[in-house]
Amino acid sequence: MNKTVRKILIPLFIACSFSAVSAQNQKIKASLISNFTSDIDDFLGYDSFGFSYHIKNNVFKKFKGNEIFEYKNVSLGNITKVDILNPLKIVLFYEDFNTVVLLDNQLNKMTEINFSQNNTPIVVPAIGMSTQNQLWIFNTLNQQIGLFDYLRNEYKTVSTPLTDGIKYYQTDFNTFFWIDKKNNWFSCDIFGKTRALGKVVDFDKIEILNDHQYIFSKANLLYFKDISSTNSDTVYEIEILQKSFDKFCYKDQILSIFTTKEITNYKIVTP
């Protein structure tokens, strides 16, 4: 390559590289709302009534102002999963005992279900609240997603067997989302309709916002991605004050960052 061509190509390559990086790493400014110290083991987020939820020493707690409620059940071991999607029917899952407990809005026990005692054998690593007195269930015995009616004690499968396992899952009333071990993203609705939503970026932690948007962390940086936008390759970095954090939660444009010492709430507006 002669010197003249090299002088032209090198600046052009640098300019193209800079443009590509800029296009794929734009910024979302997070506006600080509140910050307070905490002495808890796990922060679980806020409900639509403004209550916050956390776990301390395996005790599940709910509070807002002077209102404090708590629930503990030492006989079932550690709390594995909490679903506060419906604050009137909160789901506590104890995986070691294959058992779920449903709580009312004052954290009184409504019902307790041991899936090992069900007529149809169920081993549950993934669970969430669904509609019409039903729970989302992933059953490792058949590798299928199903629905469990906790009033009728009836279980039905709705999906075909999953071939590549579950790396991450999340549920809402009508949908079971999961990301397999190859980072492929899927959804299954209550009628069993399954869709492939695409492939997600490699992540340390992730929260699905809907069927085309998600927030994820990687190496203590926080990002937003929308796979349906015209710039579907663009990854937006969310600018927060924390250099490291244990967990994040997002609800209604409020981003909560949890560290071992504090909880910080930001307002963000996604593109």
Side-chain angles (χ1 to χ4, degrees):
M1 182 183 295
N2 62 49
K3 292 183 178 180
T4 302
V5 175
R6 187 177 301 162
K7 286 180 180 179
I8 295 172
L9 289 182
I10 291 176
L12 181 61
F13 173 77
I14 294 172
C16 290
S17 299
F18 179 80
S19 298
V21 170
S22 299
Q24 293 187 18
N25 292 281
Q26 299 186 35
K27 306 283 187 178
I28 294 175
K29 180 67 176 178
S31 302
L32 181 64
I33 296 175
S34 61
N35 173 271
F36 51 92
T37 58
S38 64
D39 180 24
I40 59 178
D41 299 325
D42 191 11
F43 175 68
L44 303 167
Y46 297 91
D47 67 19
S48 52
F49 300 104
F51 283 91
S52 63
Y53 298 81
H54 67 255
I55 296 173
K56 175 68 176 178
N57 296 327
N58 205 38
V59 178
F60 176 59
K61 295 188 177 184
K62 165 185 178 177
F63 71 95
K64 181 176 71 172
N66 294 324
E67 294 183 87
I68 302 174
F69 306 95
E70 66 177 50
Y71 175 83
K72 60 180 177 180
N73 193 327
V74 295
S75 64
L76 293 177
N78 292 325
I79 301 169
T80 308
K81 171 77 174 179
V82 178
D83 188 326
I84 59 172
L85 183 64
N86 181 354
L88 304 180
K89 292 180 182 177
I90 297 168
V91 180
L92 262 59
F93 181 51
Y94 299 83
E95 187 172 1
D96 289 345
F97 285 80
N98 204 30
T99 296
V100 67
V101 174
L102 300 184
L103 307 176
D104 67 14
N105 63 332
Q106 295 186 343
L107 304 193
N108 299 306
K109 184 167 73 172
M110 301 170 65
T111 188
E112 181 176 320
I113 305 160
N114 185 335
F115 294 108
S116 300
Q117 298 174 354
N118 193 65
N119 294 330
T120 303
I122 306 172
V123 175
V124 182
I127 194 167
M129 179 60 70
S130 185
T131 60
Q132 299 174 341
N133 303 313
Q134 297 182 117
L135 296 168
W136 285 109
I137 296 289
F138 176 67
N139 186 0
T140 56
L141 296 182
N142 57 16
Q143 294 294 305
Q144 289 177 283
I145 298 165
L147 290 166
F148 184 87
D149 188 318
Y150 52 82
L151 293 184
R152 299 180 179 179
N153 202 37
E154 294 177 351
Y155 167 71
K156 64 179 180 181
T157 57
V158 295
S159 78
T160 57
L162 309 190
T163 56
D164 289 309
I166 294 179
K167 179 179 179 180
Y168 173 83
Y169 78 95
Q170 191 175 315
T171 61
D172 60 32
F173 291 121
N174 297 304
T175 312
F176 187 108
F177 295 102
W178 79 96
I179 297 167
D180 70 17
K181 294 177 181 178
K182 298 178 180 178
N183 280 357
N184 296 305
W185 181 14
F186 300 91
S187 69
C188 177
D189 67 18
I190 57 175
F191 304 106
K193 181 180 179 181
T194 300
R195 292 193 300 150
L197 302 176
K199 200 175 187 73
V200 303
V201 178
D202 190 38
F203 61 90
D204 294 327
K205 297 179 176 66
I206 192 167
E207 184 166 333
I208 295 168
L209 308 188
N210 48 50
D211 64 1
H212 59 275
Q213 296 177 324
Y214 58 93
I215 294 174
F216 70 98
S217 65
K218 185 68 179 177
N220 280 314
L221 293 176
L222 202 57
Y223 302 93
F224 167 84
K225 187 167 175 58
D226 186 341
I227 64 172
S228 72
S229 69
T230 52
N231 297 319
S232 59
D233 291 333
T234 302
V235 176
Y236 296 85
E237 182 182 344
I238 303 173
E239 295 183 303
I240 58 175
L241 298 174
Q242 288 74 18
K243 301 302 181 184
S244 65
F245 52 89
D246 298 310
K247 188 177 183 179
F248 65 89
C249 300
Y250 175 85
K251 182 178 177 63
D252 299 332
Q253 296 188 330
I254 304 300
L255 176 69
S256 301
I257 305 296
F258 171 60
T259 71
T260 54
K261 296 181 179 180
E262 62 184 10
I263 298 169
T264 305
N265 297 308
Y266 296 93
K267 181 176 178 61
I268 65 170
V269 178
T270 56

